[in-house]
Amino acid sequence: MKKDFTMHRMPVEALPAFLAVAEHRSFTAAAARLGMSPSAVSQSIRGLEDRVGTALFSRTTRSVALTEAGELFLAQVRPAMAEIDASFSMLGDYASRPSGLLRINASRGVLPFLIKPLNAFMAQNAEVEVELFADDGLSDIVREGFDAGIRMGEMLQP
């Protein structure tokens, strides 16, 4: 019977353990690499095998080897995890420096006070592009895709 794995039931938390055991061919070495106990790695792999319904490793007291299913799974999981790791690295790079489009909605009376600070900000953050919108009304800045709204006085949308 084919198992259906939706995101909320997919055993992704065990994949780093699976990859480490597959790479090192050892639960002890995988545990050391992951900063886990060997028994925690073993339980993680056992849980993964239970969830997918097949053995991924052949184990003896002296050796660990991938089963045929384990080899096929590894061939699929390794590149997928490499892409996921690259995605997290990209997010780390993105979060470490300001970049992208900054959309500001401001009343006309505020605009003269924004020009000098925005020019200084943009000079220090070359990867940021600023779009400044003049709007004297009370806009729903979230719905309209703005990052900030600046008004004089206490004009706030209820």
Side-chain angles (χ1 to χ4, degrees), residues 2 5 22 29 45 51 56 67 72 97 99 110 113 136 142 147 151-152 154:
K2 186 174 180 178
F5 292 105
I45 297 300
R51 295 285 295 274
L56 300 172
T67 62
L72 293 170
R97 65 182 172 6
S99 63
V110 172
F113 300 103
D136 288 327
V142 173
D147 299 298
R151 298 290 183 268
M152 293 180 77
E154 299 202 18

Side-chain angles (χ1 to χ4, degrees), residues 44-56:
S44 183
I45 297 300
R46 191 175 311 113
L48 176 62
E49 291 173 329
D50 288 346
R51 295 285 295 274
V52 298
T54 191
L56 300 172

Side-chain angles (χ1 to χ4, degrees), residues 55-72:
L56 300 172
F57 293 98
S58 295
R59 306 160 178 84
T60 67
T61 56
R62 295 179 187 218
S63 67
V64 175
L66 285 162
T67 62
E68 183 178 351
E71 290 283 356
L72 293 170

Side-chain angles (χ1 to χ4, degrees), residues 52-125:
V52 298
T54 191
L56 300 172
F57 293 98
S58 295
R59 306 160 178 84
T60 67
T61 56
R62 295 179 187 218
S63 67
V64 175
L66 285 162
T67 62
E68 183 178 351
E71 290 283 356
L72 293 170
F73 189 59
L74 178 63
Q76 295 291 312
V77 169
R78 184 179 278 154
M81 288 298 287
E83 286 187 36
I84 290 169
D85 286 344
S87 297
F88 278 109
S89 293
M90 179 273 309
L91 285 176
D93 293 344
Y94 189 80
S96 68
R97 65 182 172 6
S99 63
L101 178 62
L102 175 62
R103 299 183 76 226
I104 301 173
N105 183 310
S107 61
R108 294 182 203 291
V110 172
L111 291 178
F113 300 103
L114 294 179
I115 301 303
K116 190 173 181 179
L118 280 175
N119 282 337
F121 174 79
M122 290 169 38
Q124 293 176 1
N125 300 282

Side-chain angles (χ1 to χ4, degrees), residues 20 24-34:
H24 295 288
R25 301 291 199 255
S26 163
F27 283 81
T28 303
R33 178 173 158 219
L34 295 170

